[in-house]
Amino acid sequence: MLTWKDVINFSVKGNPEPDKRVEKTEAEWRELLTPEQFRITRKKGTEQAHTGALCSAHDAGKYNCICCDTPLFDSTIKFESGTGWPSFTQPIKENAIKYHKDSSFGMIRVEVMCNTCDAHLGHIFPDGPEPSGLRYCINSESMQLQKESIKNEQ
């Protein structure tokens, strides 16, 4: 389980190696993404609080990167933070997320990105629920929910 100390170490000393890399030109990303997805994931934008489609989603499944389809978070670790963005306590795998010190807007935060394609996802804070104490605050536009299929067993 990742802790705040792990997150800070990754942001300072380097991130874990991803399983694979996906790199595209800006023009290729623009073709694949909606204008809002492009603004958020490729230009480090953010969506307005309480407007994201995944904020109130509670279906079982995996939250994948909208750019490269890499699994990022599992629905079992999603929680209601009251912040207006989907919130998670852990990534699906330690190397799914990349951490970067962000000192924009006069504050110091830790930005989280897809470790496969460098898509901006949101930020992480040390004010989440136990046991990790982490809150991954993620833009809905940067993810897609791959719902678990219901198997009919007879």
Side-chain angles (χ1 to χ4, degrees):
M1 175 181 310
L2 291 174
T3 65
W4 185 244
K5 183 179 178 183
D6 298 323
V7 167
I8 297 302
N9 281 336
F10 286 143
S11 71
V12 173
K13 297 179 181 174
N15 289 286
E17 286 294 316
D19 292 340
K20 65 179 180 173
R21 288 287 300 156
V22 172
E23 297 185 23
K24 298 185 182 302
T25 65
E26 185 169 315
E28 290 171 318
W29 287 125
R30 280 190 191 277
E31 265 188 49
L32 290 172
L33 304 168
T34 68
E36 184 69 349
Q37 290 167 341
F38 182 84
R39 182 185 72 79
I40 289 170
T41 62
R42 308 321 304 177
K43 297 298 182 182
K44 301 185 185 292
T46 191
E47 62 200 15
Q48 222 175 2
H50 305 286
T51 63
L54 298 177
C55 198
S56 58
H58 297 289
D59 297 305
K62 307 274 187 275
Y63 289 84
N64 296 347
C65 177
I66 197 70
C67 295
C68 68
D69 205 35
T70 296
L72 302 170
F73 302 100
D74 189 276
S75 61
T76 59
I77 47 86
K78 186 174 189 265
F79 70 99
E80 292 296 326
S81 66
T83 62
W85 289 275
S87 297
F88 303 88
T89 59
Q90 290 285 301
I92 204 160
K93 289 174 66 175
E94 183 175 289
N95 69 343
I97 302 294
K98 177 185 276 190
Y99 304 89
H100 181 260
K101 182 180 172 184
D102 175 5
S103 52
S104 61
F105 302 109
M107 25 180 174
I108 297 176
R109 304 178 289 176
V110 177
E111 174 189 10
V112 290
M113 296 174 286
C114 173
N115 205 16
T116 300
C117 72
D118 296 336
H120 171 76
L121 304 172
H123 290 85
I124 184 171
F125 303 95
D127 60 3
E130 293 300 329
S132 74
L134 299 177
R135 175 173 55 95
Y136 288 79
C137 188
I138 309 297
N139 291 290
S140 287
E141 290 288 333
S142 65
M143 300 180 297
Q144 56 190 343
L145 176 59
Q146 180 184 350
K147 295 179 183 176
E148 284 182 6
S149 59
I150 300 172
K151 296 178 182 166
N152 294 329
E153 294 184 21
Q154 298 181 9

